[in-house]
Amino acid sequence: MDAAEFRRRGKEMVDLIADYLENIEQRPVYPDVEPGYLRSLIPEEAPEEPDTYEDVVKDIERVIMPGVTHWHSPYFYAYFPTANSFPAMLADMLSGAIGCIGFSWAASPACTELETVMMDWLGKMLKLPEDFIAGTHGQGGGVIQGTASEATLVALLAARSRAVRMILASDPQRPETGITSKLVAYSSDQAHCSVERAGMIAGVRMKKIPTEQSDKYAVQGETLRRMIQEDKAAGLIPFYFCATLGTTPSCAFDHITELGPICNAEKIWMHIDAAYAGSSFICPEFRPLLNGIEFADSFNFNPHKWLLVNFDCSTMWVRKRSDLIGAFKMDPLYLKHDHQESGRYFYTDNSLFRSLKMWFVFRMYGLKGLQDYIRKGSNEVNETLLKRINNGRKIHLVPCQLSGQFVLRFAVCARTTESRHIREAWRLITQLAEEVMQELPH
Ligand code: PLP
């Protein structure tokens, strides 16, 4: 394929993508295929002679689509979302074209530098403490990971390294293996399975902290404190706690304002995994859910879940960059360059040009656009809906204001109201809400 054909095929591909997304609702959201379905549809070996592009495109519908779970179908309600937007897809095209690998600042300065600045932009949207923002006097900053699982592991390895260093500083004769075998990490029994797996990879004990339904499945400070005391009494060394804001099963929020001071007092690294819920903290009304971040050593969430940046883009901030650099520093001769120290930012500098898609998305939506996307419905939409409901004169509601939000109150007032009236009212409200939503510009 030469540049002239690429121009043509590229435009066709953009049309194919736009058609796919515009009509995705027509496709069954979950594929009806058996394991191994694909092998029988394509040859056993790669072709000796080249296929034509037309043949390849034809096979998208024949081979691929029957086995696709359509995550962007409006009928997809599984897992957590994975983000998707046109600006991010365009940025990915450009990233593919530049095709650089930013393993050091010199390998592609824009790659390292844009990532640093995008992480600061996003950190400021979240109102992170200044310690986590690279472009300030602080010692911290952000780095993009592939997944939240990676971020949890990276934080755990950095915490392990810091714990070993701290113990050796006060007891240099102690053998390192004797230290690591005593280390103990903690997470909620509701934490994502990647936290337990991180413990397996790092070769450290990972204890699950029990949670209760009556506490909305949040880890309580008292429980963590008790486990730490018991473990210390048994000769173990507590060194890491992974808090979750928005757990996978029930979106529970651990009480980090209570847990953080315990971790700080015990010199335990507190990592916060907010893989899904983190995107919502860009809205001032949800930001209180992140209170307690000031006690954390590291924090991560996935813009590739809910902030319109396509996979992969998992953003991780640390309070002290040196904790990560110290844990993973490698300096082979082939990576040395003239700006080694001033250019160095992280443990690998940065890898792919993932920041490009953040840049495109942040600029083309703006903070307001991103907040509107999280809220999925503005005050104006709710006001329109209320007008529509009351103009119909079938049911009657009044609004109220809650933390700046225009809220529709539904109060069951009359002695004569029965369940069937409420069901009927709900049907009417949802029907009118759908009409209002469909009239909104996309
Ligand atoms: N943490 C939480 C709370 C999650 O809900 C998930 C996935 O849904 C993860 C971590 C894992 O995310 P990733 O696939 O980016 O590793």
Side-chain angles (χ1 to χ4, degrees):
M1 187 180 286
D2 57 16
E5 189 183 356
F6 176 68
R7 284 175 203 279
R8 188 157 57 86
R9 299 304 189 189
K11 284 163 194 150
E12 286 169 14
M13 180 53 80
V14 167
D15 281 341
L16 188 150
I17 292 168
D19 288 346
Y20 167 70
L21 288 170
E22 273 184 355
N23 301 310
I24 198 165
E25 199 172 329
Q26 321 300 335
R27 295 177 184 266
V29 60
Y30 191 69
D32 183 14
V33 291
E34 295 298 320
Y37 90 94
L38 191 142
R39 188 174 279 282
S40 64
L41 296 177
I42 59 173
E44 285 293 323
E45 318 255 329
E48 194 75 32
E49 298 294 330
D51 282 345
T52 65
Y53 182 74
E54 282 83 353
D55 286 341
V56 177
V57 168
K58 247 188 261 151
D59 280 353
I60 296 175
E61 279 303 328
R62 188 181 69 87
V63 179
I64 303 299
M65 288 302 174
V68 171
T69 301
H70 298 284
W71 281 58
H72 299 285
S73 161
Y75 298 113
F76 184 81
Y77 302 112
Y79 314 111
F80 274 144
T82 187
N84 171 286
S85 71
F86 292 121
M89 285 185 249
L90 291 174
D92 264 348
M93 281 175 73
L94 179 60
S95 171
I98 294 174
C100 65
I101 304 183
F103 42 67
S104 74
W105 178 88
S108 200
C111 196
T112 299
E113 298 207 4
L114 187 67
E115 181 164 330
T116 311
V117 179
M118 285 308 101
M119 292 300 292
D120 278 4
W121 277 19
L122 185 54
K124 288 177 190 171
M125 288 186 213
L126 295 164
K127 304 261 181 298
L128 291 186
E130 275 205 353
D131 287 352
F132 291 91
I133 307 292
T136 63
H137 58 271
Q139 298 170 22
V143 61
I144 305 177
Q145 306 290 328
T147 61
S149 313
E150 269 175 65
T152 303
L153 175 63
V154 164
L156 181 66
L157 294 174
R160 189 184 66 181
S161 161
R162 186 180 80 173
V164 169
R165 259 186 288 124
M166 277 184 339
I167 293 166
L168 285 179
S170 60
D171 185 2
Q173 305 309 323
R174 196 162 169 181
E176 202 171 316
T177 47
I179 301 172
T180 46
S181 65
K182 298 279 181 207
L183 292 176
V184 54
Y186 306 92
S187 71
S188 164
D189 62 2
Q190 302 294 308
H192 189 262
C193 60
S194 54
V195 182
E196 190 176 351
R197 195 187 308 124
M200 290 161 74
I201 297 171
V204 295
R205 270 184 204 81
M206 176 69 71
K207 290 200 173 179
K208 290 186 183 177
I209 305 173
T211 58
E212 302 288 340
Q213 187 182 12
S214 53
D215 298 323
K216 296 192 179 147
Y217 298 109
V219 170
Q220 305 296 300
E222 219 17 72
T223 322
L224 176 65
R225 202 193 310 274
R226 185 170 32 78
M227 287 177 73
I228 292 171
Q229 294 318 329
E230 285 170 8
D231 285 339
K232 280 169 60 175
L236 298 178
I237 309 168
F239 79 105
Y240 177 84
F241 168 58
C242 177
T244 309
L245 298 182
T247 61
T248 319
S250 66
C251 218
F253 281 68
D254 292 338
H255 294 168
I256 53 173
T257 46
E258 200 177 297
L259 298 158
I262 300 172
C263 291
N264 287 182
E266 297 286 345
K267 298 197 170 42
I268 291 174
W269 181 298
M270 181 164 84
H271 174 68
I272 299 176
D273 170 11
Y276 162 63
S279 298
S280 68
F281 305 152
I282 63 165
C283 299
E285 67 272 30
F286 300 127
R287 175 56 178 78
L289 295 167
L290 187 58
N291 288 350
I293 176 73
E294 58 277 15
F295 302 110
D297 293 284
S298 53
F299 165 63
N300 165 255
F301 83 97
N302 286 350
H304 73 229
K305 276 189 161 52
W306 196 11
L307 208 60
L308 294 162
V309 183
N310 283 52
F311 187 82
D312 56 354
C313 182
S314 184
T315 44
M316 176 185 192
W317 288 264
V318 285
R319 178 180 298 283
K320 267 179 96 179
R321 294 203 297 271
S322 57
D323 282 335
L324 255 60
I325 295 170
F328 301 109
K329 189 170 177 180
M330 297 275 164
D331 263 336
L333 189 59
Y334 51 81
L335 291 186
K336 291 211 185 304
H337 55 80
D338 289 347
H339 303 284
Q340 192 76 13
E341 290 317 314
S342 62
R344 175 181 292 284
Y345 175 60
F346 252 117
Y347 56 104
T348 66
D349 288 312
N350 297 320
S351 49
L352 307 163
F353 223 153
R354 297 169 175 129
S355 54
L356 262 187
K357 54 194 172 196
M358 295 170 83
W359 195 44
F360 275 41
V361 168
F362 294 168
R363 293 182 66 185
M364 296 192 61
Y365 281 85
L367 177 57
K368 274 186 80 173
L370 294 171
Q371 289 170 335
D372 283 350
Y373 175 71
I374 297 283
R375 292 175 179 136
K376 294 228 168 109
S378 59
N379 283 347
E380 291 73 35
V381 174
N382 280 332
E383 281 177 47
T384 310
L385 174 61
L386 184 68
K387 260 193 214 126
R388 200 72 64 90
I389 290 170
N390 285 337
N391 286 349
R393 296 198 153 60
K394 174 84 185 166
I395 59 172
H396 185 55
L397 266 65
V398 293
C400 67
Q401 282 272 352
L402 287 177
S403 312
Q405 296 289 298
F406 185 93
V407 174
L408 277 65
R409 292 172 71 260
F410 186 95
V412 179
C413 301
R415 184 180 53 78
T416 49
T417 305
E418 296 173 12
S419 308
R420 67 186 167 91
H421 299 110
I422 295 173
R423 274 198 298 273
E424 203 178 314
W426 180 242
R427 256 196 306 277
L428 183 67
I429 293 169
T430 47
Q431 179 205 324
L432 293 173
E434 264 168 37
E435 282 173 25
V436 168
M437 294 307 284
Q438 267 168 16
E439 287 162 20
L440 287 179
H442 288 289

